[in-house]
Amino acid sequence: MKQEMMTIVTQRLLAPQIYEMTLTGELVKQMIIPGQFLHLKVPRADLLLRRPISINKIDHEKNECAIIYRVEGDGTDVLSQLQSGDKVDVMGPLGNGFPIEEVKKGEKILIIGGGIGIPPLYELSRQLVAKGAEIINIQGFRNRETIFFEEEFRELGEMHIATSDGSYGTEGYVCKILDTRLKEFNPDAVYVCGANGMLKVVNERFIDHPRAYLSLEARMACGMGACYACVCPKANSETETMRVCKEGPIVATGEVAL
Ligand code: FES
């Protein structure tokens, strides 16, 4: 992990409150594993805590990476106002990332995402396709307006969308699509990133699967394992915890209490 003043190449609005920021800098060379995150300093003196944002795309040829984030408060609002050419203080890449070494050509991989949990699944999908895997993305959104990156995911393989209000795709939650698709095949591996409710359901469903992984979300401060602001209780233990920023954010199903 290193720290650098990275340069913003582009910044664009993808959906209401959802922004994509492309960055360039030496740190891109260290971004290899999908599912890791960057810790961005907000350029306003009173906002001390960095904002953890997962890496959406890595492009070593252009020496660029992209992040996608939702404006949820002052910090992300300030970040959304930065423009191309501006510098931003970035630490990273941080966290363990999705384990994909064991993925083999021809394997069927299930990738489940919800809302702002979806961005890291794009780089994951790209890398799995590059390994020759067949990917099935199932994604959940609140409604049609909040959908982003649909075309980009469709270009990589099978893709299904559910919206809570039924304004696009299947009405309801991702489980509805999951139930139908799982009657037809058994995934060789499963990767999930989304809200806690979704993680809980998928965790239970794939608790005995040997290669099912969840990306956890937590409030963070240092982002590098020093402050214990992000601890999460381990499953089947009254006392053991793990740091989401350091030992996570990716865990196997059954590893933590959700
Ligand atoms: Fe400090 Fe995780 S945020 S230990």
mmCIF file of all heavy atoms in Angstrom, residues 37 39 219-231 243-246, ligand 1:
data_model
loop_
_atom_site.group_PDB
_atom_site.id
_atom_site.type_symbol
_atom_site.label_atom_id
_atom_site.label_comp_id
_atom_site.label_asym_id
_atom_site.label_seq_id
_atom_site.Cartn_x
_atom_site.Cartn_y
_atom_site.Cartn_z
ATOM 1 N N PHE A 37 -9.881 -1.756 -2.307
ATOM 2 C CA PHE A 37 -10.451 -0.404 -2.301
ATOM 3 C C PHE A 37 -9.377 0.668 -2.151
ATOM 4 O O PHE A 37 -8.235 0.388 -1.779
ATOM 5 C CB PHE A 37 -11.510 -0.274 -1.195
ATOM 6 C CG PHE A 37 -10.975 -0.368 0.224
ATOM 7 C CD1 PHE A 37 -10.614 0.754 0.943
ATOM 8 C CD2 PHE A 37 -10.835 -1.616 0.834
ATOM 9 C CE1 PHE A 37 -10.132 0.657 2.253
ATOM 10 C CE2 PHE A 37 -10.347 -1.727 2.144
ATOM 11 C CZ PHE A 37 -9.996 -0.581 2.846
ATOM 12 N N HIS A 39 -8.587 4.603 -0.462
ATOM 13 C CA HIS A 39 -9.010 5.432 0.674
ATOM 14 C C HIS A 39 -8.708 6.879 0.301
ATOM 15 O O HIS A 39 -7.539 7.287 0.258
ATOM 16 C CB HIS A 39 -8.197 4.985 1.897
ATOM 17 C CG HIS A 39 -8.955 5.013 3.177
ATOM 18 N ND1 HIS A 39 -10.329 5.009 3.252
ATOM 19 C CD2 HIS A 39 -8.525 5.046 4.469
ATOM 20 C CE1 HIS A 39 -10.710 5.036 4.514
ATOM 21 N NE2 HIS A 39 -9.638 5.067 5.264
ATOM 22 N N ARG A 219 -18.039 0.876 8.419
ATOM 23 C CA ARG A 219 -17.532 2.241 8.611
ATOM 24 C C ARG A 219 -16.052 2.134 8.900
ATOM 25 O O ARG A 219 -15.628 1.291 9.689
ATOM 26 C CB ARG A 219 -18.226 2.911 9.792
ATOM 27 C CG ARG A 219 -19.647 3.265 9.493
ATOM 28 C CD ARG A 219 -20.162 4.378 10.396
ATOM 29 N NE ARG A 219 -21.430 4.872 9.897
ATOM 30 C CZ ARG A 219 -21.546 5.847 9.005
ATOM 31 N NH1 ARG A 219 -20.477 6.459 8.542
ATOM 32 N NH2 ARG A 219 -22.735 6.238 8.590
ATOM 33 N N MET A 220 -15.259 2.955 8.255
ATOM 34 C CA MET A 220 -13.805 2.864 8.446
ATOM 35 C C MET A 220 -13.221 4.202 8.866
ATOM 36 O O MET A 220 -13.798 5.251 8.586
ATOM 37 C CB MET A 220 -13.141 2.422 7.138
ATOM 38 C CG MET A 220 -13.438 0.993 6.775
ATOM 39 S SD MET A 220 -12.516 0.501 5.314
ATOM 40 C CE MET A 220 -13.319 -1.066 4.965
ATOM 41 N N ALA A 221 -12.061 4.126 9.503
ATOM 42 C CA ALA A 221 -11.313 5.341 9.833
ATOM 43 C C ALA A 221 -9.938 5.235 9.177
ATOM 44 O O ALA A 221 -9.708 5.779 8.113
ATOM 45 C CB ALA A 221 -11.214 5.509 11.325
ATOM 46 N N CYS A 222 -9.022 4.471 9.793
ATOM 47 C CA CYS A 222 -7.653 4.416 9.242
ATOM 48 C C CYS A 222 -7.592 3.645 7.917
ATOM 49 O O CYS A 222 -6.791 3.966 7.050
ATOM 50 C CB CYS A 222 -6.694 3.795 10.262
ATOM 51 S SG CYS A 222 -6.900 2.012 10.455
ATOM 52 N N GLY A 223 -8.396 2.615 7.772
ATOM 53 C CA GLY A 223 -8.411 1.829 6.540
ATOM 54 C C GLY A 223 -7.255 0.857 6.399
ATOM 55 O O GLY A 223 -7.126 0.191 5.374
ATOM 56 N N MET A 224 -6.396 0.787 7.410
ATOM 57 C CA MET A 224 -5.223 -0.078 7.278
ATOM 58 C C MET A 224 -4.951 -0.939 8.505
ATOM 59 O O MET A 224 -3.823 -1.344 8.755
ATOM 60 C CB MET A 224 -4.000 0.745 6.896
ATOM 61 C CG MET A 224 -3.830 1.986 7.745
ATOM 62 S SD MET A 224 -2.723 3.168 6.991
ATOM 63 C CE MET A 224 -1.206 2.300 7.219
ATOM 64 N N GLY A 225 -5.981 -1.198 9.290
ATOM 65 C CA GLY A 225 -5.845 -2.172 10.365
ATOM 66 C C GLY A 225 -5.381 -1.632 11.703
ATOM 67 O O GLY A 225 -5.164 -2.411 12.641
ATOM 68 N N ALA A 226 -5.258 -0.318 11.863
ATOM 69 C CA ALA A 226 -4.688 0.218 13.096
ATOM 70 C C ALA A 226 -5.706 0.654 14.146
ATOM 71 O O ALA A 226 -5.422 0.608 15.343
ATOM 72 C CB ALA A 226 -3.779 1.404 12.755
ATOM 73 N N CYS A 227 -6.905 1.065 13.740
ATOM 74 C CA CYS A 227 -7.802 1.710 14.716
ATOM 75 C C CYS A 227 -8.942 0.814 15.212
ATOM 76 O O CYS A 227 -9.608 1.134 16.174
ATOM 77 C CB CYS A 227 -8.392 2.975 14.100
ATOM 78 S SG CYS A 227 -9.640 2.655 12.827
ATOM 79 N N TYR A 228 -9.217 -0.276 14.572
ATOM 80 C CA TYR A 228 -10.286 -1.216 14.933
ATOM 81 C C TYR A 228 -11.688 -0.591 14.835
ATOM 82 O O TYR A 228 -12.616 -1.024 15.497
ATOM 83 C CB TYR A 228 -10.045 -1.816 16.327
ATOM 84 C CG TYR A 228 -8.932 -2.833 16.320
ATOM 85 C CD1 TYR A 228 -7.609 -2.430 16.242
ATOM 86 C CD2 TYR A 228 -9.207 -4.200 16.328
ATOM 87 C CE1 TYR A 228 -6.575 -3.364 16.174
ATOM 88 C CE2 TYR A 228 -8.181 -5.137 16.262
ATOM 89 C CZ TYR A 228 -6.874 -4.708 16.191
ATOM 90 O OH TYR A 228 -5.867 -5.617 16.117
ATOM 91 N N ALA A 229 -11.842 0.429 13.998
ATOM 92 C CA ALA A 229 -13.170 1.036 13.819
ATOM 93 C C ALA A 229 -14.084 0.134 13.005
ATOM 94 O O ALA A 229 -15.291 0.305 13.019
ATOM 95 C CB ALA A 229 -13.024 2.378 13.110
ATOM 96 N N CYS A 230 -13.511 -0.807 12.283
ATOM 97 C CA CYS A 230 -14.285 -1.565 11.296
ATOM 98 C C CYS A 230 -14.499 -3.020 11.687
ATOM 99 O O CYS A 230 -14.803 -3.837 10.826
ATOM 100 C CB CYS A 230 -13.552 -1.507 9.959
ATOM 101 S SG CYS A 230 -11.935 -2.303 10.041
ATOM 102 N N VAL A 231 -14.325 -3.356 12.985
ATOM 103 C CA VAL A 231 -14.383 -4.773 13.351
ATOM 104 C C VAL A 231 -15.774 -5.377 13.164
ATOM 105 O O VAL A 231 -16.787 -4.703 13.290
ATOM 106 C CB VAL A 231 -13.905 -5.051 14.801
ATOM 107 C CG1 VAL A 231 -12.421 -4.844 14.942
ATOM 108 C CG2 VAL A 231 -14.708 -4.257 15.782
ATOM 109 N N ARG A 243 -10.959 -7.399 11.259
ATOM 110 C CA ARG A 243 -10.986 -6.025 10.749
ATOM 111 C C ARG A 243 -11.373 -6.083 9.269
ATOM 112 O O ARG A 243 -10.645 -6.688 8.473
ATOM 113 C CB ARG A 243 -9.617 -5.361 10.920
ATOM 114 C CG ARG A 243 -9.228 -5.148 12.370
ATOM 115 C CD ARG A 243 -7.755 -4.881 12.517
ATOM 116 N NE ARG A 243 -6.964 -6.046 12.113
ATOM 117 C CZ ARG A 243 -5.646 -6.124 12.161
ATOM 118 N NH1 ARG A 243 -4.951 -5.096 12.593
ATOM 119 N NH2 ARG A 243 -5.015 -7.208 11.761
ATOM 120 N N VAL A 244 -12.475 -5.433 8.935
ATOM 121 C CA VAL A 244 -12.957 -5.488 7.544
ATOM 122 C C VAL A 244 -11.926 -4.883 6.588
ATOM 123 O O VAL A 244 -11.713 -5.371 5.490
ATOM 124 C CB VAL A 244 -14.325 -4.770 7.415
ATOM 125 C CG1 VAL A 244 -14.764 -4.672 5.961
ATOM 126 C CG2 VAL A 244 -15.381 -5.514 8.223
ATOM 127 N N CYS A 245 -11.235 -3.821 7.031
ATOM 128 C CA CYS A 245 -10.291 -3.150 6.128
ATOM 129 C C CYS A 245 -9.030 -3.965 5.891
ATOM 130 O O CYS A 245 -8.367 -3.803 4.866
ATOM 131 C CB CYS A 245 -9.921 -1.780 6.680
ATOM 132 S SG CYS A 245 -8.864 -1.843 8.135
ATOM 133 N N LYS A 246 -8.673 -4.824 6.818
ATOM 134 C CA LYS A 246 -7.374 -5.500 6.752
ATOM 135 C C LYS A 246 -7.520 -6.987 6.393
ATOM 136 O O LYS A 246 -6.960 -7.443 5.402
ATOM 137 C CB LYS A 246 -6.675 -5.356 8.115
ATOM 138 C CG LYS A 246 -5.281 -5.884 8.179
ATOM 139 C CD LYS A 246 -4.293 -4.909 7.610
ATOM 140 C CE LYS A 246 -2.872 -5.421 7.778
ATOM 141 N NZ LYS A 246 -1.931 -4.585 7.039
HETATM 142 FE FE1 FES B 1 -9.012 1.202 11.137
HETATM 143 FE FE2 FES B 1 -10.154 -0.906 9.912
HETATM 144 S S1 FES B 1 -10.586 1.166 9.651
HETATM 145 S S2 FES B 1 -8.753 -0.925 11.572
#
